[in-house]
Each structure stands twice: as structure tokens, then as C-alpha cells.
């Protein structure tokens, strides 16, 4: 599904993050499968490590220099969203950055810019395989 920019811009910050949560997890799952892991329990455990807020916050720190002004605006929208709860394993700052990552990936997906989402994800993962 591709939406016009005006429609994407009308989606709430947390709505974009909701969409981006699944987009980011899908990218993580594909990345792990492409690396050759075959055991589903290991795939699941590694995916969980990659999608937790602290790992997404680290991803955000590496990703920011790659973004255009428009992409940075979507990231900031998510980062500045008013969330009502923070998971136990994350600080509020980590959770804010993670929400920014999710909002950006949600916006890119809905705008039909899947190749750009892949490009950003792959550039960061090439830089640091430890996520």
C-alpha cells in the first residue's frame, strides 16, 4: 500500500510508529535469515534482541547521519511522541529514539519508499553487526 504524502503526514506520530514496528521487525527477520541462521529458536531470540528499544536506540544513533531532512522530520515526530508507558528494559530516552526509528520506517513504508528503508537498514547493519 502506498499513500500520498499528505495522508501519511496526517497519521499520528504513534500511528506511524505502530506501522514501523512491524516494518523494522520484518527487516530484522530478513537480515537474520539472509545471514544463514536456520534454527527458529535462534532466529526468534536474535530478532528479539534486535527489536528491543535499547537496540533500536543504538540503531538510531548510527542512522541519523544517513537521513534526509524529510526523513529526519519523521524520525523526530516519533522521537517526540508522547508515550504513556516505557517498557521495563528501556530508559525513556532509549524508548523515544526507538519510537523515532519506528515512525521513520512506518512513514517510508507507507510512502512506498521500501527501497530507501532497505538502504538505510542495510547501511547501518553493514556498519555494526552487533545490533
Amino acid at each position: 500500500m502506498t499513500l500520498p504524502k499528505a495522508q501519511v503526514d496526517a497519521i499520528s506520530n504513534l500511528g506511524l510508529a505502530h506501522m514501523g514496528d512491524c516494518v523494522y521487525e520484518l527487516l530484522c527477520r530478513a537480515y537474520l535469515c539472509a545471514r544463514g541462521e536456520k534454527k527458529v529458536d535462534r532466529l526468534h531470540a536474535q530478532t528479539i534482541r534486535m527489536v528491543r528499544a535499547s537496540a533500536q536506540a543504538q540503531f538510531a544513533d548510527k542512522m541519523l547521519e544517513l537521513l534526509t531532512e524529510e526523513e529526519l522530520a519523521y524520525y523526530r515526530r516519533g522521537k517526540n511522541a508522547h508515550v504513556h508507558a516505557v517498557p521495563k528494559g528501556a530508559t525513556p530516552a532509549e524508548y523515544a529514539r526507538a519510537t523515532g526509528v519506528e515512525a521513520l520506517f512506518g512513514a517510508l513504508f507507507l510512502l512506498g519508499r521500501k527501497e530507501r528503508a532497505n538502504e538505510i537498514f542495510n547501511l547501518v547493519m553493514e556498519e555494526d553487526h552487533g545490533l
Side-chain angles (χ1 to χ4, degrees), residues 61-86:
D61 294 341
K62 294 173 176 73
M63 169 191 80
L64 291 176
E65 66 187 31
L66 304 171
L67 303 182
T68 66
E69 284 302 314
E70 180 186 31
E71 292 164 348
L72 197 53
Y74 285 116
Y75 168 79
R76 285 188 190 122
R77 280 184 58 186
K79 181 177 174 265
N80 296 329
H82 297 289
V83 295
H84 299 290
V86 175

Side-chain angles (χ1 to χ4, degrees), residues 90-104:
T91 68
E94 288 173 333
Y95 195 62
R97 293 196 319 269
T99 304
V101 169
E102 292 173 349
L104 170 64

